[in-house]
Amino acid sequence: GQPPISSGRPRVVIVRAGAIGDTLMATPLVRAVRSTFANAHVTFICSNAARDVLAHNPHLDQVVGLSYRHVPAALSPEKTRIVRSLKKFDLDWAVVLESHRSLVDLACRVNPAHVVAYGAIPGRRIEKVMFDPTKHSIENNLHAGEALGVQSAGLEMELHYPPAIKAALQTRLDRAGIGSGD
């Protein structure tokens, strides 16, 4: 009956610390969260290698890069800083598009009210969602967001970049004789 997020400014963290392609496949979920909860504060924890893919995404309020994704939090000064920083937000939800214990643990350590993840940790309250290998990763990611009451806003991935890059790219294409319809 009642939607999991009801009022105020919901605070959501999405964790997908994989490669660039994996990160891009999480962008439909990011857009769906923003579309469903326009005033939400949305943070994304990603690998440093994929950080630039999200840096200009208008649906995100904060992008946090992670250098060493599988190092346990107890041994990682980087994860300790991330946890300290994100605890201040008093998070409502963490959506962990990972099954690796260290990343599920990282999300749990920021103390969100609810955690949805592909993996579980004994003794932690986590709503485990199953990754269906017969479905595309984008569909699985959107399914994970359904626990929050998120409604899909399409399956298309998004890559946003600053206008200066678009201008430089257009100049290169023009020099190569490649028109906008090519």
Side-chain angles (χ1 to χ4, degrees), residues 3 31 33 39 45 48 57 63 66 74 77 82 98 112 122 129 154 164 166:
R31 182 180 57 248
V33 170
N39 64 338
I45 299 175
N48 274 337
N57 189 307
V63 178
L66 186 59
I82 291 169
E98 302 274 359
V129 290
K166 185 175 183 175

Side-chain angles (χ1 to χ4, degrees), residues 10-16 41-46 51 60-66 77-96 103-113:
R11 295 156 315 274
V12 179
V13 62
I14 299 170
V15 180
R16 183 62 175 112
H41 184 276
V42 184
T43 300
F44 199 110
I45 299 175
C46 63
R51 186 182 171 113
L60 291 170
D61 297 291
Q62 182 180 16
V63 178
V64 178
L66 186 59
E78 176 186 41
K79 286 183 179 176
T80 300
R81 282 190 303 275
I82 291 169
V83 167
R84 191 176 305 125
S85 171
L86 292 181
K87 273 187 175 181
K88 295 175 187 175
F89 285 103
D90 194 26
L91 294 167
D92 295 299
W93 283 90
V95 180
V96 188
L103 294 166
V104 177
D105 177 61
L106 175 63
C108 290
R109 287 175 180 266
V110 299
N111 292 328

